[in-house]
Amino acid sequence: MSNRIQFVRRTAAILRLFCLIFCLLPGLAAGQDLFTPPPPASGNCEIPTFQEEPGSAARRDWVIEQARGGDVAPNGKFAASTALARLELNPDDAEVIDRITHFYDRVPAGSNGQQFSYPGVAWVLGKYWDKFTPAQRDHLKAKLKDFSDLLGHGTENHAVMKCVAAYIFAQSWPDDTGWVRGQYSSEQVMEAARARIVNVVNGYYDKNHEEWISENYAGINLFPFHALYDCSTDLAIKHAAYAALCYHYASLAANSYRGLHLSPFPRGRLAPQTVPNPGTTSLTWLYAGPEYTERVPATDGSNFRGDAAAICIYVAVSDFVMPPAILSLWRGETAPYELTSSSAGFGHHGTTTGFWGTGEPGATNRYIYRHPDYAIGSGFIEYYPDEFYVQHHSNVSILYKSTDEWSFVETHHPYWRSNSLEWAYGNNSPFIQTAQYKSAAIAIFNIPETDPWAGRGRGEWQSYRDQHFDNLIQEAFVRYPKSIDQVIEEHGWVFLREGSVYIAIRPLKAYAMEANDAPATADFNTIRSAYAQTGFVYDVATEAEYASFAAFRAAAIESPPAMDWDKLSVTYTSLAGDTITATWNPPNYGGPPQTKWVWEGGSSIADLKPRVVWRSDRPGGGREWSWDAEN
């Protein structure tokens, strides 16, 4: 896909510019023995101190209070969050200490515990060590030593959870032996875990990571670093945890709008207003405040349940204080701005190139534009036919300010879950390519008749689309909420209005409006274009730019896109006067198994250097900040 904006790898360079971090820990060569300790950290690893805002402190106290008297279920996935909250309320809660002591007693000998529980249990142990008797510590330690996966890998969140927990456990018993079923001493475990933590955190800043700002995994990648930040006695590792937290929160802040992530992102889905989720939604409320999201917990806590509540509790009990610069970004005080970025694969052992944060760049590539009243994001996620992840979300989405339950427009081709036509997960298709500049975007669809990767990949992913290997669904969809204030069809355009936000959508071929498209849910209408080669143009503005919705529509009608279907190319001059040209670049359908799907031609990102570009369009601002690995 040719595009006037080059996709680049995202780093948290903004953190350096705001002086939130001062050094990175030394990196490790990809082939280095992970039991060899890295050289000492150099540079100024001082962690800045900030005063917590009163409103944030009050919300944090409310979150912790929700766990009062809560059950600490044995081997429970996030049960340790309740334990931490109860100990925050009463550090002498003997029942909680006893529950953590016997947390893994029901796990059979030779089996591993619930991996999601490891960092939380380590956090309780590290923070409340003195509350355990020597006998209680020894009892818990005996169970922990029987787990073979404490230095395991898995997907990125799995790797981080296990690694951080292993580090805290070994730090708690620094002179012990027999970890990982008798294989390693505490010193060896700490050396291995320290090396991996350093590698992962440096990888964040060098090239991003695979599960970047996932609605599914954002919170799960966060809470282990909160545990490490609170518990590490090594100042360099504490700084690494701080750097990781600043990276994740800056990414969430920059790439979200009022509690929802901007497309595309790996795994997860966009949620209704009434359902705070464990990613951006609940954390936006907790940190930025209820003025900046409609997705807030009910006063009685009735919708504060499950993983969202657990992640919120973990964050609330942490000593970490959100830096004001990240809060400003999160609240949109720097908007309007645009951000181009990409991330690397984390590396799955035996499947993709690299391991422990050494994956190749270009897994998620995105362009976003965030305005105070709306935001639009587009891009693509490279497909590894034999990889774990395929449930990625949305190539193009538009988010807008609204008090309605649903407040977004999104684009879909049913490939990953073509058997059910499901929108909820995996509506990012490898047969969509996009181009965007600020508030305007183009999506082109080029859907083959048969699946070029039939029979490849994990069996459970195959079963979602196995009825369509030889007959792919050659249709493209855009859905919008039925609750939107106004919908008008004119001259081939579909115009939407929510309050003062105006949205223009132009299907590039004939379309039909579907009011009862069940897979899109009963809350949405669908714009369906039933062609193998088709597409949509999107443009967004506000009443500050057009005196009326009618004036906005008239301007769009006067600026139709130009299509060349022989070349599969579209040119559009946006209402802001910017010309965007999008031309299809064919994917590489060949290659041996376990070769990732890559773009060919001029838009290849293989040679891009680590870099981020952030531009502010605020009146009188004129700021452009950039950083790359060579400077």
Side-chain angles (χ1 to χ4, degrees):
M1 169 65 66
S2 58
N3 194 335
R4 294 179 60 203
I5 302 300
Q6 184 185 45
F7 285 115
V8 292
R9 278 192 287 176
R10 170 74 167 89
T11 70
I14 294 173
L15 303 181
R16 285 174 170 164
L17 293 161
F18 282 119
C19 300
L20 299 182
I21 59 169
F22 299 101
C23 75
L24 294 182
L25 296 171
L28 298 174
Q32 184 173 341
D33 178 4
L34 288 180
F35 280 95
T36 301
S42 59
N44 176 13
C45 287
E46 176 186 353
I47 297 175
T49 58
F50 303 103
Q51 184 68 39
E52 184 177 19
E53 294 182 351
S56 178
R59 291 188 293 276
R60 179 171 56 81
D61 291 344
W62 182 90
V63 167
I64 294 170
E65 182 64 31
Q66 302 311 300
R68 185 180 292 276
D71 183 33
V72 182
N75 199 33
K77 182 178 181 180
F78 293 133
S81 66
T82 300
L84 284 162
R86 287 181 56 175
L87 289 168
E88 186 82 8
L89 293 166
N90 176 15
D92 296 315
D93 191 330
E95 181 186 40
V96 171
I97 297 299
D98 182 70
R99 287 294 185 92
I100 294 298
T101 298
H102 298 281
F103 195 79
Y104 296 115
D105 283 10
R106 299 181 187 178
V107 178
S111 298
N112 294 321
Q114 162 57 262
Q115 62 181 346
F116 289 86
S117 72
Y118 293 167
V121 170
W123 196 346
V124 175
L125 187 68
K127 195 166 185 176
Y128 295 97
W129 175 265
D130 292 340
K131 302 299 180 181
F132 292 83
T133 66
Q136 287 175 319
R137 296 172 196 152
D138 287 344
H139 182 91
L140 177 59
K141 180 176 64 175
K143 293 299 295 185
L144 297 173
K145 284 185 176 182
D146 192 43
F147 297 159
S148 65
D149 61 342
L150 281 181
L151 290 173
H153 190 281
T155 60
E156 181 153 12
N157 65 94
H158 300 165
V160 170
M161 286 188 293
K162 295 171 184 176
C163 184
V164 164
Y167 183 90
I168 297 172
F169 290 143
Q171 175 187 264
S172 300
W173 292 282
D175 301 318
D176 223 308
T177 59
W179 293 98
V180 192
R181 296 182 184 168
Q183 295 186 68
Y184 306 120
S185 68
S186 292
E187 182 180 7
Q188 288 177 304
V189 171
M190 285 189 72
E191 288 174 354
R194 186 181 194 276
R196 293 173 180 182
I197 290 166
V198 167
N199 214 33
V200 168
V201 177
N202 280 338
Y204 288 164
Y205 283 80
D206 179 53
K207 56 193 167 188
N208 257 320
H209 72 121
E210 184 169 25
E211 293 173 352
W212 183 46
I213 62 170
S214 163
E215 285 281 3
N216 207 44
Y217 291 134
I220 298 172
N221 276 292
L222 275 167
F223 87 93
F225 286 111
H226 277 285
L228 190 63
Y229 180 81
D230 280 12
C231 297
S232 176
T233 58
D234 182 328
L235 293 180
I237 290 299
K238 186 179 182 73
H239 181 271
Y242 171 78
L245 290 171
C246 286
Y247 160 82
H248 280 295
Y249 281 121
S251 294
L252 288 176
N255 291 279
S256 65
Y257 179 77
R258 302 192 67 80
L260 288 179
H261 286 140
L262 284 154
S263 297
F265 54 83
R267 303 202 73 185
R269 58 177 175 173
L270 296 176
Q273 307 271 34
T274 53
V275 183
N277 73 10
T280 311
T281 57
S282 57
L283 297 178
T284 298
W285 165 79
L286 179 63
Y287 278 127
E291 310 96 308
Y292 300 96
T293 178
E294 285 69 39
R295 295 156 179 83
V296 301
T299 304
D300 62 0
S302 57
N303 67 341
F304 191 72
R305 297 287 184 270
D307 291 358
I311 296 300
C312 237
I313 291 169
Y314 276 133
V315 170
V317 301
S318 175
D319 297 333
F320 176 81
V321 177
M322 185 65 66
I326 297 179
L327 280 178
S328 177
L329 189 64
W330 210 328
R331 290 167 173 165
E333 293 169 358
T334 56
Y337 63 80
E338 53 182 313
L339 180 68
T340 59
S341 53
S342 75
S343 66
F346 187 60
H348 293 172
H349 187 54
T351 303
T352 59
T353 303
F355 196 46
W356 283 105
T358 57
E360 297 177 355
T364 302
N365 303 270
R366 64 194 349 241
Y367 179 104
I368 70 165
Y369 181 72
R370 181 172 170 181
H371 182 277
D373 298 323
Y374 65 87
I376 177 171
S378 67
F380 62 89
I381 297 179
E382 287 193 327
Y383 174 44
Y384 297 68
D386 303 285
E387 252 285 20
F388 177 84
Y389 289 110
V390 296
Q391 290 197 116
H392 304 308
H393 192 83
S394 192
N395 297 70
V396 183
S397 66
I398 300 169
L399 316 181
Y400 52 85
K401 189 173 182 179
S402 174
T403 58
D404 294 339
E405 184 175 14
W406 303 92
S407 57
F408 55 82
V409 176
E410 59 183 351
T411 307
H412 180 40
H413 165 244
Y415 171 66
W416 307 124
R417 290 175 178 259
S418 52
N419 293 352
S420 64
L421 298 176
E422 186 174 339
W423 282 74
Y425 292 97
N427 64 8
N428 180 298
S429 171
F431 308 118
I432 310 173
Q433 295 181 16
T434 64
Q436 180 184 343
Y437 185 64
K438 295 188 177 179
S439 58
I442 302 171
I444 296 178
F445 295 71
N446 190 15
I447 307 163
E449 292 183 3
T450 60
D451 190 338
W453 304 291
R456 292 174 61 175
R458 289 164 52 122
E460 58 265 48
W461 300 132
Q462 293 289 311
S463 65
Y464 293 140
R465 68 181 201 273
D466 57 6
Q467 298 172 21
H468 296 273
F469 284 150
D470 57 355
N471 185 26
L472 291 181
I473 297 172
Q474 295 182 312
E475 298 180 352
F477 304 83
V478 170
R479 70 169 179 171
Y480 63 88
K482 291 182 178 179
S483 59
I484 205 160
D485 289 346
Q486 194 171 1
V487 181
I488 294 178
E489 295 179 72
E490 288 182 304
H491 299 280
W493 291 84
V494 179
F495 295 105
L496 311 176
R497 182 186 64 80
E498 178 69 16
S500 62
V501 177
Y502 306 147
I503 301 170
I505 302 171
R506 172 65 184 265
L508 298 180
K509 286 188 176 178
Y511 69 93
M513 300 289 280
E514 303 282 351
N516 298 300
D517 183 17
T521 81
D523 299 303
F524 288 84
N525 289 328
T526 301
I527 307 170
R528 180 192 300 258
S529 184
Y531 296 89
Q533 292 185 337
T534 185
F536 301 94
V537 167
Y538 315 78
D539 213 332
V540 190
T542 69
E543 67 178 13
E545 300 157 88
Y546 291 91
S548 67
F549 190 35
F552 169 78
R553 302 197 315 269
I557 291 167
E558 290 297 315
S559 184
M563 287 83 77
D564 184 334
W565 292 112
D566 291 332
K567 296 180 179 179
L568 198 50
S569 181
V570 180
T571 298
Y572 173 65
T573 300
S574 73
L575 299 180
D578 300 302
T579 299
I580 307 171
T581 297
T583 302
W584 181 266
N585 276 344
N588 176 13
Y589 295 128
Q594 299 186 353
T595 297
K596 69 175 183 177
W597 171 62
V598 298
W599 300 105
E600 295 178 337
S603 64
S604 172
I605 57 160
D607 298 323
L608 289 179
K609 293 181 169 48
R611 184 178 168 215
V612 63
V613 178
W614 184 91
R615 287 177 287 274
S616 172
D617 295 322
R618 296 180 69 189
R623 292 175 292 176
E624 178 170 326
W625 295 334
S626 64
W627 172 86
D628 62 56
E630 296 180 346
N631 296 298

